[in-house]
Amino acid sequence: MRQWFGRLADGDAGADLCSAEVRIDNVAEFPITGPYHGHDGVRRWWSDLRDAIDELRIELEELVEVDDERVLTTQRMVGRFRHTGIELDALWASIVWVRRGKIVRAAGHSSRRGAFRAAGLPE
C-alpha cells in the first residue's frame, strides 16, 4: 500500500501493483465515481482524476491492517478543480483488498468512521 501511494505521489497510477481483475470505486459523493476495472481502468481512474484536478496530490495519512487481505487507509487529496478553480483539500478513507501482493479492490468512503463501519471495526 505504501508503495502504491508513493507511486501516486510520483504521478504514476501504479497499475502494475494491481491485479489484472482490480476494481476501483471512488467515494459515491465524488464526481468521478467509477467503477474502474483492470489495469486500463486503474490508468483511466488516475487520468480522470488528473484531468479534473490541477496540481493533484494524494497523501497517505493512516494505514490500518483490518485482516489478512484488507487494509483501511485514510488519505488527503489536495489540488484545484480545473473547471471551477475551487481549491480542494479533502480527507477520505478507503478499504483496499490485497491478495498475493496485488491490489484487487479499492472502495472509497467519505469518512474514516464510515470506512471503519464498513470494515466491521470499532473506530
Side-chain angles (χ1 to χ4, degrees):
M1 287 309 307
R2 291 185 197 287
Q3 187 178 10
W4 192 38
F5 278 95
R7 296 277 289 278
L8 294 176
D10 290 341
D12 177 11
D16 59 310
L17 300 175
C18 300
S19 160
E21 294 82 32
V22 66
R23 175 186 169 127
I24 296 177
D25 293 289
N26 282 341
V27 175
E29 297 82 6
F30 197 69
I32 302 166
T33 59
Y36 294 90
H37 297 277
H39 291 153
D40 287 340
V42 172
R43 288 187 281 273
R44 194 169 46 259
W45 165 76
W46 188 239
S47 177
D48 287 352
L49 286 175
R50 293 173 58 105
D51 284 347
I53 302 167
D54 282 329
E55 301 167 27
L56 173 65
R57 282 191 345 263
I58 297 179
E59 303 162 354
L60 179 64
E61 301 245 327
E62 178 183 30
L63 191 144
V64 177
E65 283 190 42
V66 176
D67 54 33
D68 289 344
E69 64 175 36
R70 294 183 299 163
V71 176
L72 190 143
T73 63
T74 56
Q75 51 274 324
R76 178 177 300 280
M77 181 183 293
V78 179
R80 185 175 16 84
F81 285 105
R82 185 177 309 267
H83 296 292
T84 64
I86 294 171
E87 295 291 324
L88 172 68
D89 186 348
L91 284 172
W92 90 95
S94 300
I95 300 172
V96 182
W97 288 256
V98 179
R99 289 190 199 118
R100 294 189 236 6
K102 297 282 187 175
I103 296 165
V104 296
R105 183 166 178 227
H109 295 270
S110 58
S111 71
R112 182 179 183 273
R113 175 179 284 176
F116 268 78
R117 262 192 236 130
L121 295 175
E123 189 173 359

